[in-house]
């Protein structure tokens, strides 16, 4: 740098100055938000350790929703990428950190010994804040309801959050996520009770719903995990990953025959 002629250095500075003057008189019609997905998590820790993990570690989220008092913290600007999704996929899109907003909810997740798990409930007051936040983000970024997902939807082999205690129905009642019509599920249930579809049927419908799932016809561990993730969201009373008639009816209504 020291050997640069001083006239050249002046030119460089002048060039930078010119580049910073951008005329914004005109804008294109063809544009939209880079944010296409909204991903919901639980922190599996209390507030102080959740905050520490998300602000000083190698993971982060755009928002952290505290339980008591219910408070929304913005930790990452929405225009920047947060590190919350990891290896992930939904509806053919992968690596969702780049195209999503992440909400971490303070919730301790599974408690107790394996086989007798109890899931930390989400208090009403906290959920009111979550619903309002989800609605606001969806509106501003025009996110479609079928792209508002849990971490367990986009990474079913690795993650179970926000878990079966998360009241997805509240988001459905607010019109924020897709939800199968209960009367239609009841109407189609008897046919599935009489004749349960085979594993390829389930894999096909789960893939159409959005999951990354291999169509190999085998009820392998990966398929069981995806079915369990679906059940946690739409039929949380039983989420053992068994392909049963009610799960088939729910999928049939959501995805179509
Ligand atoms: Zn998560």
């Amino acid at each position: 740098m020291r050997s640069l002629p001083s006239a050249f250095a002046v030119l460089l500075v002048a060039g930078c100055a010119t580049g910073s003057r951008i005329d914004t008189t005109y804008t294109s019609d063809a544009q939209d938000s880079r944010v296409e997905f909204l991903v919901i998590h639980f922190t599996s820790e209390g507030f102080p350790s959740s905050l520490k993990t998300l602000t000083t570690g190698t993971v982060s989220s755009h928002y952290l929703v505290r339980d008591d008092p219910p408070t929304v913290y913005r930790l990452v600007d929405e225009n920047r990428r947060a590190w919350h999704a990891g290896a992930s996929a939904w509806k053919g899109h992968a690596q969702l950190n780049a195209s999503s907003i992440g909400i971490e909810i303070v919730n301790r997740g599974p408690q107790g010994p394996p086989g007798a798990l109890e899931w930390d409930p989400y208090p009403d007051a906290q959920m009111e804040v979550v619903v309002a936040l989800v609605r606001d983000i969806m509106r501003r970024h025009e996110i479609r309801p079928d792209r508002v997902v849990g971490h367990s939807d986009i990474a079913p082999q690795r993650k179970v959050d926000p878990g079966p205690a998360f009241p997805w129905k509240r988001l459905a009642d607010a019109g924020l996520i897709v939800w199968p019509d209960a009367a239609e599920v009841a109407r189609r249930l008897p046919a599935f009770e009489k004749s349960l579809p085979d594993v390829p049927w389930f894999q096909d419908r789960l893939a159409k719903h959005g999951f990354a799932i291999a169509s190999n016809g085998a009820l392998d561990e990966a398929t069981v995990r995806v079915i369990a993730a679906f059940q946690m969201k739409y039929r949380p009373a039983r989420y053992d990953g068994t392909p049963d008639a009610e799960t088939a009816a729910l999928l049939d209504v959501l995805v179509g025959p």
Side-chain angles (χ1 to χ4, degrees):
M1 283 298 285
R2 211 174 282 168
S3 61
L4 274 177
S6 59
F8 186 59
V10 169
L11 273 176
L12 275 178
V13 171
C16 288
T18 306
S20 70
R21 280 201 302 272
I22 295 171
D23 190 326
T24 57
T25 307
Y26 312 105
T27 56
S28 297
D29 287 341
Q31 58 174 301
D32 59 7
S33 172
R34 293 173 189 268
V35 176
E36 297 181 70
F37 303 90
L38 199 161
V39 184
I40 293 174
H41 307 259
F42 64 44
T43 60
S44 72
E45 306 174 307
F47 173 69
S49 49
S50 299
L51 183 63
K52 188 169 182 220
T53 301
L54 292 168
T55 53
T56 62
T58 55
V59 293
S60 59
S61 65
H62 296 89
Y63 294 98
L64 173 64
V65 182
R66 190 177 184 170
D67 48 350
D68 187 22
T71 310
V72 179
Y73 298 88
R74 181 161 55 224
L75 308 178
V76 176
D77 188 282
E78 287 185 3
N79 293 316
R80 291 177 63 77
R81 173 167 48 185
W83 297 93
H84 60 98
S88 52
W90 190 249
K91 289 190 181 288
H93 299 254
Q95 305 298 344
L96 300 185
N97 277 333
S99 55
S100 69
I101 283 179
I103 299 177
E104 288 274 4
I105 303 173
V106 173
N107 177 283
R108 291 176 185 278
Q111 307 285 300
L117 282 187
E118 292 195 7
W119 295 78
D120 193 16
Y122 291 82
D124 271 352
Q126 188 186 32
M127 279 308 300
E128 273 173 35
V129 166
V130 169
V131 168
L133 178 62
V134 169
R135 180 186 287 119
D136 179 51
I137 294 168
M138 287 178 73
R139 181 184 54 77
R140 285 186 290 101
H141 293 280
E142 297 181 341
I143 299 173
R144 289 163 26 184
D146 62 346
R147 295 180 173 209
V148 176
V149 291
H151 204 183
S152 54
D153 289 322
I154 63 169
Q157 307 304 326
R158 300 186 297 117
K159 297 291 178 180
V160 295
D161 60 313
F166 185 76
W168 286 103
K169 184 70 165 55
R170 287 191 62 155
L171 269 63
D173 291 343
L176 303 178
I177 61 167
V178 293
W179 198 258
D181 177 65
E184 190 56 29
V185 172
R187 197 182 69 77
R188 298 191 197 184
L189 184 59
F192 290 115
E193 283 171 337
K194 212 174 284 177
S195 172
L196 190 67
D198 57 15
V199 173
W201 185 96
F202 277 94
Q203 290 178 332
D204 178 62
R205 298 308 188 284
L206 289 161
K208 280 187 182 141
H209 182 61
F211 288 102
I213 180 171
S215 180
N216 60 8
L219 190 58
D220 51 15
E221 203 175 313
T223 299
V224 168
R225 286 213 175 103
V226 170
I227 294 173
F230 177 83
Q231 291 168 336
M232 276 195 286
K233 191 171 192 176
Y234 291 108
R235 208 270 311 274
R238 200 169 74 251
Y239 52 91
D240 56 7
T242 303
D244 56 31
E246 191 182 16
T247 304
L250 288 162
L251 267 172
D252 199 50
V253 173
L254 275 171
V255 177

